[in-house]
Amino acid sequence: MTSEPDQLTLVLVGPMGAGKTSVGRRVARRLGVAFIDTDKRVAREHGPIPAIFAQHGEKHFRELEREAVSAALDEGGVVSLGGGAVTDAGTRALLRAHPVVYLTVTPDAVAERITGSGRPLLAGEDPLARWTEIFAQRRDLYDEVATVTFDTSRRPMQRIAEEIAAWRREQR
């Protein structure tokens, strides 16, 4: 099953804490389409993500995530991917047929967003150092799949959402 050519689809990628969910909801509202958070979908269908990591490992989680991404892209709308979705080659291949917005954020701005977030990959003594390390590992993958990049560090999410919606309309 593939997306209809006139179906409006937009994918959001980026590191943990970049604002994919909050920006994504706003963009979907502006474009009049559904918002799909693939992490939430995986959790709803398979249980809490930290438990999936603990019981089955990251590889299994990435497979579940790829299935969720594929289904979401078939449905269309604004699709928000988990921060690590781009680490899976199969998921990156799925994204090639769609406009992808890469939301980036500085370590300073993300520090307040990730505190006490309960994200399994940020567990430990220094979540910001771990975030920085993970972001460095994934940065090239975000660039690889991105059609356009928006920085969410110090601007209102509302304004960023307006700009992304306007950009997406121009792509039609």
Side-chain angles (χ1 to χ4, degrees), residues 38-53:
T38 59
D39 273 355
K40 284 191 174 42
R41 188 168 277 188
V42 169
R44 189 175 63 237
E45 294 174 10
H46 302 282
I49 292 171
I52 297 169
F53 267 76

Side-chain angles (χ1 to χ4, degrees), residues 5 38 52 56 61 70 72 79 94 99 114-115 120 123 144 153 155 158 169:
T38 59
I52 297 169
H56 305 286
F61 171 73
S70 179
V79 181
L94 291 170
I114 63 173
T115 304
E144 176 187 323
S153 300
R155 298 175 55 233
Q158 200 71 16
R169 283 189 201 100

Side-chain angles (χ1 to χ4, degrees), residues 68-127:
V69 169
S70 179
L73 292 174
D74 284 345
E75 292 172 40
V78 175
V79 181
S80 172
L81 274 54
V86 295
T87 63
D88 182 83
T91 298
R92 289 195 308 277
L94 291 170
L95 299 181
R96 289 192 187 106
H98 301 278
V100 177
V101 174
Y102 166 24
L103 297 182
T104 189
V105 62
T106 63
D108 287 348
V110 86
E112 59 206 45
R113 298 180 193 175
I114 63 173
T115 304
S117 63
R119 299 169 194 257
L121 291 177
L122 297 183
E125 291 297 308
D126 190 346

